[in-house]
């Protein structure tokens, strides 16, 4: 028996022909998941702005989503002078205002109204020194979010908003294909996606539509 022959008479491993290398299949799901993840991270800030603003504007009939109404009372004591400009300066000093009155005008002998640049008004009883402050102040963060959401900024924001919409479309569509098998699009994923799509369809149908 020669060294190159196996005991059964078959060629040894050295003599066996080389097997052709199998072609590696491109694994696309990891790429879909990676891009989905990174776009999700990138879109967090815009999602917070649009989600909070959407909730706020959606209930605009119940509240002012941009401003908080102010109504406060102050007591500064009687003011003797009849000079309206001087009265405005005294009030600003007593209340430690960071803005100078726009206008001071007399409503009655004892009542004056002081207008401030911020839009607030001070109704002063000169005899008692009682002041009723009325006006509004911007809601923290929400006014800015609403300003962006309603596209009241420069035209450049339209491109940013369009880009964000494209990102959302990718997140929605790529999410359908991230998980293979029965938990993915061919199984429970399809059922859940269908239920989500039925929400606007059923609402429009049941509410009578536009």
């Amino acid at each position: 028996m020669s060294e190159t022959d196996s005991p059964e008479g078959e060629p040894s491993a050295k003599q066996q022909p080389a097997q052709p290398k199998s072609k590696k299949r491109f694994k696309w799901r990891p790429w879909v998941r990676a891009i989905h993840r990174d776009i999700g991270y990138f879109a967090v800030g815009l999602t917070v702005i649009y989600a909070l603003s959407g909730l706020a504007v959606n209930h605009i009939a119940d509240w002012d989503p941009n401003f908080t109404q102010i109504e406060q009372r102050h007591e500064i004591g009687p003011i003797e002078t009849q000079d309206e400009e001087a009265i405005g300066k005294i009030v600003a000093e007593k209340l430690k205002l960071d803005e100078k009155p726009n206008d001071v005008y007399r409503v009655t002998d004892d009542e004056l109204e002081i207008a401030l640049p911020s839009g607030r008004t001070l109704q002063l009883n000169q005899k008692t020194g009682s002041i009723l402050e009325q006006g509004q102040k911007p809601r923290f963060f929400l006014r800015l979010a609403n300003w962006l959401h309603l596209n009241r900024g420069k035209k450049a924001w339209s491109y940013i908003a369009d880009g964000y919409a494209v990102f959302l479309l990718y997140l929605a569509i790529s999410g359908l294909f991230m998980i293979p098998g029965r938990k993915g699009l061919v199984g429970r994923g399809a059922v859940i996606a269908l239920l989500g799509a039925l929400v606007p369809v059923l609402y429009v149908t049941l509410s009578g539509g536009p």
Side-chain angles (χ1 to χ4, degrees):
M1 183 185 299
S2 67
E3 293 180 0
T4 58
D5 291 335
S6 65
E8 290 82 9
E10 294 179 357
S12 66
K14 290 182 180 178
Q15 292 178 316
Q16 289 178 2
Q19 296 293 326
K21 291 183 179 179
S22 59
K23 251 187 176 181
K24 287 186 177 180
R25 291 180 62 187
F26 176 71
K27 296 181 179 180
W28 53 271
R29 274 200 175 88
W31 283 96
V32 170
R33 284 195 290 267
I35 298 171
H36 183 102
R37 176 200 62 212
D38 291 345
I39 287 179
Y41 286 148
F42 184 82
V44 164
L46 287 169
T47 302
V48 169
I49 286 175
Y50 277 92
L52 289 179
S53 173
L55 288 171
V57 174
N58 201 36
H59 297 277
I60 198 168
D62 304 316
W63 73 322
D64 186 340
N66 292 313
F67 295 96
T68 303
Q69 300 304 312
I70 301 171
E71 187 167 302
Q72 293 179 315
R73 289 200 172 272
H74 309 277
E75 299 293 337
I76 62 172
I79 300 176
E80 300 297 334
T81 180
Q82 296 300 310
D83 186 322
E84 293 169 2
E85 186 176 347
I87 291 173
K89 289 180 180 178
I90 292 170
V91 169
E93 184 180 339
K94 293 276 189 181
L95 296 182
K96 297 180 180 178
L97 300 177
D98 55 2
E99 53 185 343
K100 294 180 179 179
N102 271 348
D103 192 17
V104 180
Y105 58 93
R106 193 171 293 278
V107 181
T108 66
D109 290 344
D110 295 328
E111 299 283 339
L112 293 97
E113 188 160 307
I114 302 169
L116 301 175
S118 60
R120 292 178 296 164
T121 59
L122 305 173
Q123 296 174 15
L124 167 68
N125 185 309
Q126 184 179 351
K127 193 173 183 179
T128 63
S130 176
I131 296 175
L132 175 62
E133 177 185 356
Q134 291 180 314
Q136 56 187 15
K137 65 178 180 180
R139 290 189 185 276
F140 175 72
F141 183 74
L142 268 183
R143 189 182 179 216
L144 172 62
N146 295 336
W147 186 77
L148 291 172
H149 191 158
L150 299 174
N151 204 14
R152 290 176 177 164
K154 295 182 179 179
K155 190 177 179 181
W157 185 256
S158 298
Y159 299 112
I160 297 174
D162 289 346
Y164 176 62
V166 172
F167 281 172
L168 289 182
L169 284 171
Y170 176 82
L171 291 174
I173 294 170
S174 65
L176 298 173
F177 301 97
M178 289 177 65
I179 301 176
R182 288 182 301 172
K183 291 185 178 180
L185 190 58
V186 296
R188 67 191 292 266
V191 175
I192 296 172
L194 181 61
L195 289 174
L198 280 174
V199 171
V201 173
L202 288 174
Y203 179 81
V204 170
T205 303
L206 296 175
S207 66

